[in-house]
Amino acid sequence: MEWWTENSWAAWLAAAAALSVAEMFSLDLIFMALAAGALAGAVTGAFDLPLVLQVLTAAAASLATLLLLRPRLIAKLHSGPDLRMSHGRLIGTQGVVTQQISATEVGRIRVGGEEWSASPYDTMTTITPGENIEVLEIRGATAYVHPVPRLEA
């Protein structure tokens, strides 16, 4: 028991290291909370505080980390940028008309390095080749587009 009272901080530190390694394999952030508690126990052990106080400090730090920090970290890890997949990534991008587009004829556009069939979003609009457009919607394999207004100099 003599060794423990003089070197409890080292035992707590070893426990924190072992729990950190376990966290690397589990990735559920529970061992991380326990390692934080072990670090708190190491701090109290470094000040030669009684073992009961070391254990209570470690338990309180672990519980606080589990209840307060872990949920926020989990939410942060599980949220990320919205990934736009497939043709949905083209919505809002601009392109160029390669074949005239009107309500009665489906034309062609080049957007995002690809060529698409296109119809006007507003059925009263005719868009001529060379005009810049913005993709507003995609239905099936047809992009519904609207001309981008030009600033005249």
Side-chain angles (χ1 to χ4, degrees):
M1 196 67 170
E2 175 83 19
W3 181 90
W4 179 262
T5 57
E6 293 176 7
N7 299 307
S8 62
W9 63 272
W12 284 111
L13 203 55
L19 290 165
S20 296
V21 169
E23 178 60 40
M24 287 184 213
F25 290 104
S26 71
L27 298 175
D28 62 1
L29 301 179
I30 291 177
F31 288 114
M32 182 264 321
L34 296 174
L39 283 176
V43 169
T44 56
F47 289 112
D48 290 329
L49 296 174
L51 179 62
V52 173
L53 192 57
Q54 292 176 31
V55 170
L56 288 175
T57 302
S62 294
L63 190 62
T65 306
L66 273 172
L67 296 177
L68 301 175
L69 186 60
R70 184 176 179 265
R72 290 184 182 155
L73 288 175
I74 293 284
K76 188 77 164 170
L77 289 173
H78 287 228
S79 67
D82 291 334
L83 296 176
R84 297 193 305 173
M85 303 296 287
S86 186
H87 60 270
R89 64 181 163 66
L90 295 176
I91 295 173
T93 60
Q94 293 186 4
V96 177
V97 176
T98 58
Q99 184 181 6
Q100 183 168 312
I101 303 169
S102 69
T104 57
E105 64 182 308
V106 174
R108 305 287 293 170
I109 60 168
R110 179 164 291 283
V111 61
E114 300 174 344
E115 193 157 317
W116 282 74
S117 60
S119 290
Y121 191 76
D122 177 9
T123 57
M124 302 303 288
T125 305
T126 298
I127 310 170
T128 58
E131 283 194 60
N132 292 328
I133 50 88
E134 181 178 357
V135 178
L136 299 180
E137 183 178 0
I138 302 234
R139 289 186 227 147
T142 304
Y144 287 83
V145 300
H146 190 72
V148 174
R150 290 185 202 197
L151 294 175
E152 299 299 324

